[in-house]
């Protein structure tokens, strides 16, 4: 053990107790969690339950260096650090490296240098005209949808046109709430949070708390089994990743006919996620966690859309239109959000350095004006994962710097055409399904 008593709080926030990485790594249990940020050791065992970003996202780094995710997720680090002093229990011993000894030292240091360069270039500063333009175009399409039904009536063509436009509103509002949720628009977190609740609640009918709970975990540990909720469909619905699929087969587990998952994905994936699952689960989640403010924002959306379209359509056809919108939006959402991750490495947490972990789990889609708009700039998923609070209009400027760093360290920087990225979802599901079947039958 380091000098002093392990776990003893440090007076006045000044670290005197010193620890080795071996000691820190032992504190990774459910009720015993330590993390390291900038060489300082923090006991988050109790705090993680009060962590504003959620208990799990910070808990996923228990026993690990959390310096890079801390820098990635917080826009006012000095303010946050004031609240961390009560958690400080010591620091790494002088002979200990700044991060785990098994991590790539040059990759960690070079990425942190890149972050400093990106900040110096002003790429973390938002162009608010851009974001208000995105909001304006969403509201414009929303109004246009209503005007079409008001002027042309409820026959098939205006009905379908209004439905498609409202689907576009939902998809684009989804990308915009993503910007606010990542604190990418305003310099103060509280303004981002308020705008986030407005866009995701009033414009989309979903709770900000639910998005925060899931999405930050995904960013903290992308494609890490039991840490990234975006791959929680393994193994009940799909066998994901080469390693996990083989393990599943060797264990003789068969919850679904995974060798056919690239086929039933077209039924259980894009068409069903929003209308059959998210649409109902968000209410359960919000009520269970007693998030009454988020629930109120959600209800305003359903009241607004009902009072807007029931007078035209009646209750029956309004509900048909509503779930048709959710069906179309679900296809849009699933294809876009899965194309960057499902074909990539999926495994348990290996505690890799930030650069290597994010690039192993993430790929880009080639830039074009359409791809930028259609995906909400998530075609630059690599840059987004490395710098989650970076305003999306700056991803393209950061991309050459990231490519250069990846080339220096032999890290694959993968970018694809849009349709190829879509197809790779299906191909990867077929491959992992075949690996599962081979292991299931022969190992």
């Amino acid at each position: 053990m380091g000098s002093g008593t392990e776990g003893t709080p440090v007076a006045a926030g000044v670290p005197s107790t010193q620890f080795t990485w071996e000691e820190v790594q032992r504190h990774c249990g459910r009720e015993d969690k330590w993390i390291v940020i900038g060489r300082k050791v923090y006991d988050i065992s109790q705090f993680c339950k009060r962590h504003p970003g959620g208990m799990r996202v910070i808990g996923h780094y228990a026993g690990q260096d959390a310096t890079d995710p801390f820098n990635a997720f917080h826009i006012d680090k000095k303010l946050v650090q004031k609240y961390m002093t009560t958690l400080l229990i010591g620091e790494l011993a002088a002979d200990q490296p700044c991060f785990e000894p098994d991590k790539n030292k040059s990759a960690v240091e070079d990425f942190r240098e890149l972050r400093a360069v990106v900040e110096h270039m002003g790429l973390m500063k938002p162009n608010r005209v851009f974001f208000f333009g995105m909001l304006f175009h969403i509201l414009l399409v929303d109004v246009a949808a209503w005007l079409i039904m008001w002027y042309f009536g409820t026959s098939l063509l205006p009905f379908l046109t209004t439905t498609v436009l409202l689907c576009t509103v939902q998809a684009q509002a989804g990308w915009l709430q993503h910007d606010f949720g990542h604190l990418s628009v305003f310099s103060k977190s509280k303004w981002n949070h308020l705008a986030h609740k407005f866009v995701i609640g009033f414009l989309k009918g979903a709770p900000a708390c639910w998005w925060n709970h899931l999405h930050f975990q995904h960013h903290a540990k992308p494609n890490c089994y039991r840490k990234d909720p975006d791959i929680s469909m393994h193994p009940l619905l799909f066998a994901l990743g080469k390693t996990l699929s083989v393990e599943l087969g060797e264990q003789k587990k068969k919850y679904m006919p995974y060798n056919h998952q690239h086929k039933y994905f077209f039924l259980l994936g894009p068409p069903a996620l929003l209308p059959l699952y998210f649409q109902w689960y968000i209410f359960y989640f919000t009520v269970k966690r007693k998030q009454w403010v988020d629930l109120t924002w959600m209800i305003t959306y359903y009241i607004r859309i009902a009072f807007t379209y029931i007078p035209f359509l009646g209750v029956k056809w309004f509900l048909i239109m509503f779930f048709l919108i959710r069906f179309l939006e679900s296809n849009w959402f699933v294809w876009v959000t899965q194309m960057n991750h499902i074909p990539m490495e999926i495994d348990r947490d290996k505690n890799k350095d930030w650069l290597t972990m994010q690039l192993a789990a993430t790929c880009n889609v080639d830039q074009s004006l359409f791809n930028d708009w259609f995906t909400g700039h998530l075609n630059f998923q690599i840059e987004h994962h490395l710098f989650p609070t970076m305003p999306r209009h700056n991803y393209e400027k950061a991309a050459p710097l990231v490519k250069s760093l990846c080339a220096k360290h032999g890290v694959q920087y993968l970018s694809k055409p849009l349709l190829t990225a879509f197809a790779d979802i299906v191909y990867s599901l077929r491959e992992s399904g075949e690996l599962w079947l081979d292991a299931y039958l022969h190992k």
Side-chain angles (χ1 to χ4, degrees):
M1 194 176 79
S3 60
T5 304
E6 186 174 356
T8 301
V10 181
V14 179
S16 60
T17 309
Q18 295 188 336
F19 303 101
T20 65
W21 274 111
E22 184 180 358
E23 290 170 325
V24 171
Q25 290 168 341
R26 288 202 295 265
H27 296 270
C28 60
R30 183 179 294 272
E31 303 296 332
D32 179 23
K33 296 180 173 69
W34 290 8
I35 60 172
V36 174
I37 299 175
R39 296 192 61 84
K40 296 180 180 179
V41 182
Y42 298 90
D43 184 347
I44 61 165
S45 303
Q46 298 302 317
F47 170 76
C48 65
K49 300 172 185 177
R50 309 188 306 274
H51 180 234
M55 177 177 70
R56 293 184 182 180
V57 64
I58 190 172
H60 290 336
Y61 275 89
Q64 301 178 10
D65 177 44
T67 304
D68 290 315
F70 175 82
N71 290 332
F73 294 138
H74 299 93
I75 60 174
D76 191 345
K77 299 173 185 60
K78 291 182 179 179
L79 176 63
V80 176
Q81 287 169 343
K82 290 181 180 179
Y83 295 94
M84 295 168 58
T85 55
T86 58
L87 310 176
L88 183 64
I89 59 171
E91 64 181 357
L92 294 173
D95 63 344
Q96 296 293 298
C98 295
F99 37 83
E100 296 90 329
D102 57 342
K103 285 184 177 177
N104 186 328
K105 180 175 184 291
S106 60
V108 173
E109 293 175 345
D110 285 352
F111 174 74
R112 292 178 181 176
E113 183 178 340
L114 173 61
R115 181 173 183 89
V117 170
V118 163
E119 291 175 349
H120 180 73
M121 292 174 62
L123 298 185
M124 305 303 288
K125 296 180 180 179
N127 178 351
R128 295 192 183 94
V129 174
F130 170 86
F131 289 108
F132 282 110
M134 297 306 299
L135 177 59
F136 178 76
H137 110 281
I138 291 168
L139 298 176
L140 191 65
V141 175
D142 204 2
V143 171
W146 181 85
L147 287 173
I148 285 174
M149 187 164 287
W150 172 77
Y151 186 80
F152 293 102
T154 58
S155 59
L156 182 61
L157 185 57
F159 176 84
L160 293 178
T161 302
T162 296
T163 299
V164 170
L165 289 178
L166 291 176
C167 167
T168 302
V169 168
Q170 289 299 295
Q172 291 299 319
W175 308 144
L176 185 60
Q177 67 83 21
H178 180 264
D179 297 316
F180 290 117
H182 275 294
L183 314 179
S184 298
V185 182
F186 298 109
S187 58
K188 298 293 185 181
S189 295
K190 65 178 181 180
W191 292 111
N192 285 295
H193 292 318
L194 180 60
H196 188 212
K197 290 180 184 295
F198 168 77
V199 176
I200 196 173
F202 183 74
L203 296 183
K204 286 189 61 64
C209 61
W210 163 76
W211 184 90
N212 292 336
H213 171 73
L214 296 178
H215 197 66
F216 289 141
Q217 290 185 72
H218 162 68
H219 270 271
K221 292 290 184 179
N223 282 9
C224 291
Y225 181 49
R226 297 194 183 280
K227 291 191 174 183
D228 180 359
D230 282 13
I231 59 169
S232 59
M233 59 276 205
H234 174 93
L236 292 181
L237 295 178
F238 298 96
L240 300 178
K242 297 177 182 179
T243 302
L244 297 180
S245 297
V246 171
E247 287 182 2
L248 202 62
E250 291 175 341
Q251 294 166 0
K252 308 304 177 186
K253 292 183 178 179
K254 181 183 179 181
Y255 301 104
M256 295 286 284
Y258 304 118
N259 51 310
H260 296 291
Q261 63 183 3
H262 59 292
K263 302 172 186 175
Y264 65 72
F265 170 76
F266 289 93
L267 295 176
L268 298 183
L273 183 64
L274 267 64
L276 297 185
Y277 179 57
F278 280 178
Q279 180 59 52
W280 313 106
Y281 181 73
I282 54 177
F283 283 97
Y284 167 78
F285 182 94
T286 310
V287 172
K288 182 180 179 181
R289 298 195 172 221
K290 300 180 181 180
Q291 297 290 329
W292 308 125
V293 173
D294 280 3
L295 183 62
T296 302
W297 277 109
M298 291 169 61
I299 291 173
T300 62
Y301 164 76
Y302 295 100
I303 292 175
R304 175 177 64 87
I305 194 171
F307 273 83
T308 302
Y309 289 100
I310 286 179
F312 291 127
L313 298 168
V315 174
K316 176 184 175 181
W317 281 99
F318 165 73
L319 291 174
I320 291 173
M321 183 183 75
F322 177 83
F323 283 103
L324 183 57
I325 292 167
R326 286 291 190 241
F327 167 79
L328 295 174
E329 180 197 0
S330 186
N331 280 274
W332 190 334
F333 172 80
V334 172
W335 285 106
V336 168
T337 58
Q338 300 307 304
M339 67 183 182
N340 305 103
H341 296 297
I342 292 297
M344 305 302 289
E345 178 182 306
I346 300 175
D347 204 344
R348 289 176 174 80
D349 181 18
K350 303 297 184 182
N351 192 20
K352 299 176 180 178
D353 63 87
W354 186 255
L355 175 72
T356 304
M357 176 182 68
Q358 299 293 350
L359 269 292
T362 311
C363 68
N364 276 4
V365 168
D366 297 343
Q367 191 276 333
S368 72
L369 290 177
F370 174 78
N371 287 352
D372 291 349
W373 175 83
F374 185 74
T375 68
H377 288 84
L378 294 181
N379 49 327
F380 288 99
Q381 191 76 225
I382 291 173
E383 288 70 28
H384 172 55
H385 265 256
L386 291 176
F387 309 103
T389 62
M390 178 182 285
R392 59 163 135 152
H393 52 75
N394 287 332
Y395 293 158
E396 187 175 3
K397 299 175 184 176
L401 302 175
V402 175
K403 287 181 183 178
S404 177
L405 181 61
C406 290
K408 176 180 178 180
H409 292 282
V411 177
Q412 183 185 39
Y413 183 103
L414 185 60
S415 185
K416 313 171 184 177
L418 181 64
L419 295 182
T420 299
F422 289 165
D424 282 351
I425 298 175
V426 181
Y427 295 149
S428 65
L429 289 174
R430 181 174 65 184
E431 180 183 21
S432 58
E434 291 173 349
L435 288 171
W436 166 81
L437 183 61
D438 180 67
Y440 186 82
L441 294 177
H442 305 119
K443 295 183 180 181

